């Protein structure tokens, strides 16, 4: 099974999925950013930390029990690096960036980091090229991290664009694996900022048309479980509802999994179950439901 992932909802689900199924993953890199000389890949880091079971489950980013000594010291010295980077988290970024500086690709650097954390699943960035999610707001253009971390998602959103996406190429290894793959799961990630960039790398979306595709809605009723997905879906002209999520994936989706509180939407293409993951047990239960659904397609 291939899992398409962003950085919060899908890694949560992966913690359950890894207990019952084999999978590999292609992860959004359009939120990547260089901080204090190192490349931070927020979504890849969250996937690795979740699969290694070291993720901070309060925030769903960073390493559990991390300290911020270097970040605070830099501030005392008069340099604010913006993003709050933990000391242990920074070690990951240094390792990745040193691999890149020595001439390795992001695919290779990701493999090195995942191996160091003892993660057996193959994890691929959506592309090697740098792509940046830009949020067009009423107060100008902001990098996604500026919009979400520094401005706390408050500005009015007019549009979302992915700078550099035309140059992005699907990594060769991903192309090869995708040809042989039959099942694709789109986790409960932000459809606009996490999944859309992956789908827009060359003809990635087109390549999903002959596969069994299941997605899990990150929206319940008319709200996301967390994060700015609602605001961004509206800005892109989609309804903020599970139906709006279905519409984003309409061209290739077989089944959308929605929360039990949206059970009135159930149909041939929409299946309802509890999708709120408060614990690993919840994630395992949802993963089991999805694995059975694949058999039905
Ligand atoms: P981002 O990079 O932090 O935006 O990460 P993602 O795109 O992976 O995840 C954000 C999405 O995860 C949000 O739209 C949330 O609604 C969704 N999400 C978070 N927790 C849960 C959960 O327990 N269940 C479901 N179904 N969705 C969740």
């Amino acid at each position: 099974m291939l899992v398409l992932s962003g950085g919060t909802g899908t890694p949560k689900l992966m913690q359950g999925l890894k207990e019952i199924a084999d999978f590999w993953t292609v992860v959004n890199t359009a939120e990547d950013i260089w901080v204090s000389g190192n490349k931070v890949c927020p979504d890849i880091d969250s996937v690795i930390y979740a699969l290694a079971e070291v993720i901070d489950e309060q925030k769903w980013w960073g390493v559990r029990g991390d300290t911020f000594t270097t970040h605070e010291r830099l501030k005392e010295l008069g340099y604010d690096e913006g993003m709050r980077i933990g000391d242990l988290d920074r070690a990951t970024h240094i390792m990745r960036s040193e691999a890149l500086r020595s001439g390795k690709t992001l695919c290779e650097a990701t493999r090195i980091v995942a191996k160091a954390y003892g993660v057996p699943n193959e994890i691929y960035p959506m592309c090697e090229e740098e792509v940046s999610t830009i949020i067009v707001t009423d107060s100008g253009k902001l990098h996604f991290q500026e919009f979400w971390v520094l401005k706390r998602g408050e500005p009015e959103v007019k549009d979302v664009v992915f700078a550099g996406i035309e140059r992005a190429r699907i990594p060769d290894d991903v192309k090869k694996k995708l040809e042989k793959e039959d099942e694709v799961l789109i986790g409960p990630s932000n459809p606009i900022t996490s999944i859309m960039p992956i789908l827009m790398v060359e003809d990635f979306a087109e390549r999903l048309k002959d596969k069994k595709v299941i997605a899990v809605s990150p929206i319940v009723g008319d709200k996301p479980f967390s994060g700015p997905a609602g605001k961004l879906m509206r800005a892109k002209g989609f309804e903020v509802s599970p139906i709006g999520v279905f519409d984003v994936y309409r061209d290739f989706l077989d089944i959308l999994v929605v929360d039990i509180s949206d059970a009135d939407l159930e149909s041939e293409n929409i299946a309802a179950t509890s999708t709120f993951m408060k614990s690993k047990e919840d994630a395992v239960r949802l993963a089991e439901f999805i694995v059975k659904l694949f058999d039905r397609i």
Side-chain angles (χ1 to χ4, degrees):
M1 186 191 302
L2 162 63
V3 182
L4 305 188
S5 185
T8 313
T10 309
K12 272 191 195 175
L13 177 56
M14 284 180 182
Q15 285 201 327
L17 193 61
K18 79 181 169 71
E19 302 300 327
I20 61 159
D22 280 336
F23 65 90
W24 60 290
T25 177
V26 174
V27 184
N28 171 43
T29 57
E31 287 165 29
D32 292 6
I33 190 162
W34 287 84
V35 180
S36 304
N38 295 312
K39 189 173 177 101
V40 181
C41 302
D43 290 354
I44 290 180
D45 289 343
S46 293
V47 167
I48 292 175
Y49 296 157
L51 290 174
E53 307 228 1
V54 299
I55 197 157
D56 181 334
E57 278 149 0
Q58 303 299 315
K59 302 184 294 198
W60 276 93
W61 58 266
V63 180
R64 190 187 308 131
D66 209 349
T67 52
F68 292 84
T69 312
T70 305
H71 178 81
E72 296 303 337
R73 182 66 175 155
L74 284 169
K75 253 195 201 163
E76 282 165 19
L77 294 172
Y79 170 66
D80 186 348
E81 58 184 351
M83 251 176 128
R84 229 171 108 74
I85 310 275
D87 298 311
L88 300 178
D89 199 14
R90 194 185 305 273
T92 304
H93 307 156
I94 292 173
M95 195 167 180
R96 165 184 303 124
S97 308
E98 282 301 297
L100 293 172
R101 283 188 276 267
S102 75
K104 299 230 171 358
T105 63
L106 186 58
C107 286
E108 288 165 333
T110 304
R111 201 169 297 135
I112 290 168
V113 176
K115 187 162 178 248
Y117 277 94
V119 173
N121 306 73
E122 287 184 49
I123 302 169
Y124 292 94
M126 66 183 202
C127 61
E128 289 291 335
E129 298 76 10
E130 298 211 353
V131 176
S132 298
T133 299
I134 305 293
I135 311 292
V136 185
T137 73
D138 51 358
S139 46
K141 291 182 183 174
L142 302 171
H143 185 283
F144 179 79
Q145 299 298 346
E146 267 179 286
F147 166 74
W148 185 233
V149 182
L150 296 182
K151 307 255 184 208
R152 294 182 298 278
E154 282 159 11
E156 206 50 51
V157 179
K158 291 186 172 159
D159 198 4
V160 181
V161 293
F162 306 105
I165 197 80
E166 332 67 52
R167 280 185 286 105
R169 294 288 166 265
I170 304 170
D172 285 343
D173 285 350
V174 171
K175 277 187 185 161
K176 276 188 219 136
K177 284 183 76 75
L178 198 52
E179 265 167 33
K180 287 184 264 154
E181 187 55 73
D182 188 34
E183 297 180 344
V184 181
L185 170 62
I186 302 179
S189 278
N190 186 325
I192 306 302
T193 51
S194 292
I195 305 300
M196 216 181 242
I198 304 176
L199 298 173
M200 286 172 67
V201 179
E202 292 188 78
D203 58 348
F204 198 101
E206 190 67 29
R207 288 168 191 256
L208 300 185
K209 282 189 177 163
D210 62 344
K211 319 231 178 264
K212 299 179 183 181
V213 184
I214 294 179
V216 181
S217 177
I219 307 282
V220 53
D222 61 359
K223 287 186 190 62
F225 283 86
S226 61
K231 211 169 189 177
L232 303 179
M233 282 180 71
R234 210 172 294 120
K236 276 289 188 194
F238 293 100
E239 186 181 290
V240 185
S241 70
I243 299 298
V245 176
F246 200 108
D247 283 338
V248 179
Y249 304 139
R250 179 167 292 283
D251 289 346
F252 48 77
L253 189 64
D254 292 296
I255 298 179
L256 180 71
V257 177
V258 301
D259 191 66
I260 199 74
S261 57
D262 288 321
D264 54 318
L265 297 174
E266 266 191 313
S267 69
E268 204 188 324
N269 306 106
I270 297 186
T273 188
S274 174
T275 64
F276 189 22
M277 294 171 281
K278 291 183 288 299
S279 65
K280 188 164 165 184
E281 289 68 38
D282 291 340
V284 171
R285 212 173 311 118
L286 179 55
E288 282 168 346
F289 182 82
I290 292 163
V291 167
K292 281 194 202 122
L293 269 187
F294 271 116
D295 292 336
R296 234 180 61 185
I297 303 173

